[in-house]
């Protein structure tokens, strides 16, 4: 038999020595996609599909608050695209979309409700399940920050569509409590006195409670975004979630801090399998941070902390197909909850 050319032989040997993640790197395609939302608005996005697969898991990424495009750029860092491309390279199909009124999507993101976003998310999940590369029993959702509320609400609304949930700094608190927690933490990290922080927190809570009395769709410019979401609490949705959940938290996250969210998520997600992973030096974006204050973002180097992307990819790929039990609104007894100790 003729000898293989040296360069080809070395390349073949290198491929054999690579792990599954490295061998698959880059073997994916991106396809534009549109979804007609529950109210008729057309949402635009992309699906990143691994080549040569018919049994791939699928993930719909749900953005946090604000006018995010499908890449989820923060200080120029394409947060959601980095996750999507890594997962696609590892053999997972991913859908990323533009928020309403951003990029190719119609409508307006201001004034959206968590429940409305969840209905849209279910349509995205069902669309991704139709991709030829995807096993429809292995389609789940990854929600960042506000998107975490949307993710669990979607899993509660349509258990037949959701095989798993990844919460990326997804809160267990209500919207009102989370806003107060965030702002009081910013005041505390800025060096304000304990008494001043406590007093300002009470004033803020009173003001937000007043906003809750306004209609969900209010046209007051400064309050339009809050009116749609300020009433929302995940307390009723969390116990309805049947799909396994991976909750990712940053120990230096001042917006969605581990305490009290670890306890709230653990108690709320009592009817499913919950895994919590804490990243010691991570802020709300899972960048390496010093204090976690919003004010320090400009001084940080954008990029995910070590093991963050590995954790998501490994967990998603290891999660089994959706069980028939997840399609029925029945109680699942005594879930397996794995999490570290709560910390400040």
């Amino acid at each position: 038999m003729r000898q293989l050319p040296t360069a080809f032989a070395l390349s073949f040997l290198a491929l054999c020595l690579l792990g599954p993640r490295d061998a698959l790197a880059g073997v994916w395609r991106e396809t534009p996609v549109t979804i007609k939302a529950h109210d008729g608005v057309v949402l635009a996005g992309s699906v990143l599909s691994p080549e040569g697969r018919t049994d791939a898991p699928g993930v719909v990424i749900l953005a946090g608050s604000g006018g995010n495009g499908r890449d989820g750029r923060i200080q120029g860092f394409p947060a959601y695209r980095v996750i999507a491309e890594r997962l696609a390279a590892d053999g997972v199909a991913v859908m990323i979309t533009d928020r309403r009124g951003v990029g190719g999507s119609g409508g307006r993101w201001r004034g959206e409700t968590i429940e409305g976003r969840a209905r849209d998310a279910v349509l995205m999940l069902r669309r991704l399940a139709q991709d030829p590369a995807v096993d429809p029993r292995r389609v789940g959702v990854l929600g960042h920050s506000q998107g975490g509320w949307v993710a669990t609400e979607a899993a509660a609304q349509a258990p037949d569509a959701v095989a798993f949930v990844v919460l990326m700094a997804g809160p267990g608190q209500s919207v009102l409590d989370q806003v107060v927690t965030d702002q009081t933490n910013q005041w505390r990290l800025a060096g304000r006195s304990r008494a001043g922080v406590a007093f300002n927190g009470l004033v803020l809570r009173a003001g937000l409670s007043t906003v809750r009395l306004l209609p969900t769709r209010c046209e007051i410019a400064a309050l339009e975004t809050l009116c749609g979401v300020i009433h929302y609490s995940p307390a009723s949705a969390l116990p309805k979630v049947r799909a396994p959940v991976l909750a990712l938290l940053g120990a230096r996250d001042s917006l969605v801090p581990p305490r009290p969210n670890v306890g709230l998520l653990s108690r709320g997600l009592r009817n499913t399998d919950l895994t919590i992973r804490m990243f010691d030096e991570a802020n709300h974006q899972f960048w390496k941070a010093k204090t976690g204050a919003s004010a320090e973002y400009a001084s940080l180097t954008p990029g995910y902390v070590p093991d963050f992307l590995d954790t998501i990819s490994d967990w998603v790929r290891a999660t089994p197909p959706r069980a028939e039990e997840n399609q029925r609104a029945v109680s699942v007894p005594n879930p397996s909850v794995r999490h570290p100790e709560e910390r400040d």
Side-chain angles (χ1 to χ4, degrees):
M1 185 175 71
R2 294 177 60 187
Q3 290 185 334
L4 292 173
T6 302
F8 178 83
L10 290 175
S11 297
F12 180 77
L13 177 61
L15 183 61
C16 292
L17 293 174
L18 290 173
R21 177 177 294 123
D22 298 317
L24 288 171
V27 188
W28 53 269
R29 57 185 166 79
E30 181 168 352
T31 306
V33 64
T34 57
I35 300 98
K36 190 173 183 180
H38 64 280
D39 58 356
V41 171
V42 176
L43 307 175
S46 300
V47 173
L48 284 62
S49 301
E51 293 281 10
R53 295 288 299 272
T54 59
D55 60 348
V59 176
V60 172
I61 295 181
L62 300 174
S65 60
N68 294 291
R70 70 191 71 179
D71 290 350
R73 291 190 176 275
I74 303 166
Q75 292 186 200
F77 178 68
Y80 304 146
R81 178 164 289 276
V82 168
I83 297 173
E85 292 189 357
R86 168 55 188 278
L87 290 177
D90 284 357
V92 179
V94 185
M95 179 184 290
I96 49 178
T97 56
D98 300 326
R99 287 288 302 272
R100 291 175 177 235
V102 178
S105 292
R108 300 175 71 250
W109 62 266
R110 290 181 173 82
E112 280 192 290
T113 65
I114 302 298
E115 297 89 345
R117 288 194 66 192
R119 289 194 291 274
D120 289 350
V122 172
L123 295 175
M124 295 172 192
L125 287 156
R126 298 197 191 283
R127 172 62 180 81
L128 183 58
Q130 297 172 2
D131 190 280
V134 173
D135 179 347
R137 302 170 304 161
R138 301 182 68 193
V139 177
V141 62
L142 182 156
H144 177 218
S145 193
Q146 185 187 98
W149 285 313
V150 179
T152 51
E153 181 68 29
Q157 286 184 11
D160 66 305
V162 184
F164 57 83
V165 176
V166 179
L167 300 178
M168 179 179 166
Q173 290 181 294
S174 68
V175 174
L176 190 152
D177 287 342
Q178 187 273 323
V179 173
V180 173
T181 295
D182 172 24
Q183 190 55 62
T184 53
N185 278 338
Q186 303 314 315
W187 290 326
R188 176 178 58 82
L189 291 168
R192 295 196 183 185
S193 69
R194 180 176 297 182
V197 169
F199 176 76
N200 288 336
L202 290 173
V203 173
L204 176 61
R205 181 175 292 277
L208 292 174
S209 298
T210 301
V211 175
R212 292 182 67 178
L213 301 176
L214 297 174
T216 301
R217 295 187 178 278
C218 65
E219 297 181 359
I220 304 171
L223 299 176
E224 186 177 11
T225 301
L226 274 176
C227 283
V229 300
I230 195 62
H231 72 284
Y232 185 78
S233 170
S236 62
L238 292 175
K240 298 176 184 176
V241 176
R242 300 293 183 262
V245 178
L246 171 65
L248 309 168
L249 294 125
R252 296 178 183 171
D253 185 347
S254 59
L255 282 77
V256 182
R259 184 171 300 189
N261 288 289
V262 165
L264 290 167
L265 290 172
S266 297
R267 291 189 292 273
L269 292 166
R270 58 185 175 272
N271 291 324
T272 191
D273 182 11
L274 171 63
T275 300
I276 296 180
R277 174 68 191 275
M278 194 83 67
F279 293 87
D280 289 337
E281 297 182 295
N283 63 12
H284 189 63
Q285 304 299 334
F286 293 88
W287 301 355
K288 185 176 181 180
K290 297 174 182 177
T291 67
S294 299
E296 77 171 356
Y297 272 73
S299 66
L300 300 178
T301 301
Y304 293 120
V305 294
D307 297 328
F308 177 74
L309 295 174
D310 288 347
T311 298
I312 297 173
S313 178
D314 293 345
W315 187 85
V316 166
R317 290 184 295 128
T319 300
R322 184 182 64 248
E324 289 300 318
E325 286 78 6
N326 285 353
Q327 300 183 38
R328 300 194 296 269
V330 297
S331 178
V332 180
N334 194 22
S336 170
V337 178
R338 301 182 296 279
H339 61 80
E341 293 297 321
E342 294 185 29
R343 65 185 78 176
D344 290 325

